[in-house]
Amino acid sequence: MSLMKKFIGAIGPTTSREGQDNPFAPYFLRLEGDPNFPFLLAIRALEDLEGTVKSDRQLMEYLLEDIIFASIYATFYEHMFITMNENPKLYLELIDKFSEGGQDREMVIAAQTQLHLNYIMNGGTCSGCEACENHKDVEELVEHWNLGDMQFFIKLYLSMQTIQFSLEQLLYDVMPHRHDLLEFLTQETVLDYRQFLADFSDKKLEEI
């Protein structure tokens, strides 16, 4: 499954299911109204980004870069959660190790992000790079970039930022205290949670 297809709900219409049956949704919803609510953090990140750019073109480029970065980072979180599920006795050590590796991980993700960004901004062409075989993961973004579809990228940016902030909070703020949730850290349940978060972001954006 491509990086972006995992978040197809952030691109297409939202689902009717609210997602409260997901075991992680209550930990997200209970923060609504809190300054650290992931969707509010995403809104503030967008506002900060808008305040630093000099043109719509630059804004769209920054949005695209952050979308790719967040989507790759979310995949790292997914793999981490599955590893915790498979190694429940070591899950606290795994969280600590994941935290300690943050700087190195971000450098790897930033390098991959730049290669994908170049590919998209070149209209879906690449003369050859280390990420060539994975460019297909972001192929569906090329058309929207070529069209200059700002609203698409704003919507997807907010979804991706909400997902990243939420997964970070789940890992560091919830899981260390909730050993009983380890059994739910399966690929299916985590992907379902990510879809719920994307749908929530889309719905909130419509209300603004």
Side-chain angles (χ1 to χ4, degrees):
M1 183 183 294
S2 73
L3 291 175
M4 302 315 304
K5 283 187 182 298
K6 290 181 178 179
F7 315 114
I8 196 66
I11 300 173
T14 58
T15 64
S16 59
R17 188 175 68 81
E18 294 297 324
Q20 278 87 346
D21 57 324
N22 186 285
F24 308 119
Y27 299 93
F28 169 80
L29 294 171
R30 72 182 183 184
L31 289 174
E32 192 165 5
D34 188 284
N36 291 318
F37 185 50
F39 181 74
L40 291 181
L41 294 177
I43 290 290
R44 288 203 291 271
L46 176 60
E47 292 173 344
D48 290 344
L49 198 59
E50 291 174 331
T52 65
V53 299
K54 299 179 180 179
S55 66
D56 286 348
R57 170 79 177 192
Q58 188 179 50
L59 174 59
M60 197 164 72
E61 180 180 338
Y62 286 178
L63 290 171
L64 176 59
E65 182 176 5
D66 285 352
I67 287 166
I68 298 170
F69 186 95
S71 68
I72 296 174
Y73 213 124
T75 301
F76 274 83
Y77 279 121
E78 177 189 327
H79 292 163
M80 177 60 183
F81 288 136
I82 293 172
T83 301
M84 290 165 58
N85 171 269
E86 295 173 345
N87 300 274
K89 293 183 179 180
L90 300 174
Y91 88 101
L92 290 176
E93 295 176 36
L94 289 169
I95 293 174
D96 289 341
K97 186 175 181 179
F98 191 86
S99 177
E100 292 169 1
Q103 186 173 358
D104 291 340
R105 182 168 52 256
E106 289 187 5
M107 290 178 61
V108 170
I109 295 174
Q112 294 177 6
T113 296
Q114 187 60 51
L115 296 175
H116 287 316
L117 182 66
N118 293 341
Y119 171 75
I120 294 170
M121 292 178 64
N122 287 331
T125 62
C126 180
S127 58
C129 73
E130 295 178 3
C132 263
E133 64 181 36
N134 295 319
H135 285 330
K136 62 182 181 298
D137 292 348
V138 295
E139 181 67 35
E140 50 263 63
L141 297 181
V142 175
E143 179 181 0
H144 294 279
W145 174 261
N146 291 340
L147 291 172
D149 192 348
M150 179 70 78
Q151 292 306 308
F152 169 87
F153 287 110
I154 289 175
K155 181 179 181 181
L156 188 54
Y157 174 87
L158 290 174
S159 291
M160 294 309 308
Q161 291 297 314
T162 299
I163 289 170
Q164 185 172 352
F165 287 130
S166 298
L167 295 183
E168 180 180 13
Q169 290 181 354
L170 177 62
L171 179 63
Y172 294 119
D173 297 340
V174 177
M175 291 309 305
H177 313 289
R178 294 302 305 266
H179 182 276
D180 56 304
L181 293 176
L182 285 171
E183 65 176 298
F184 300 112
L185 290 176
T186 63
Q187 184 175 40
E188 180 181 3
T189 303
V190 174
L191 287 177
D192 180 73
Y193 183 47
R194 285 159 66 166
Q195 183 64 66
F196 160 72
L197 295 168
D199 290 346
F200 181 95
S201 174
D202 286 354
K203 184 177 180 180
K204 280 295 183 182
L205 185 58
E206 292 174 357
E207 297 173 356
I208 294 177

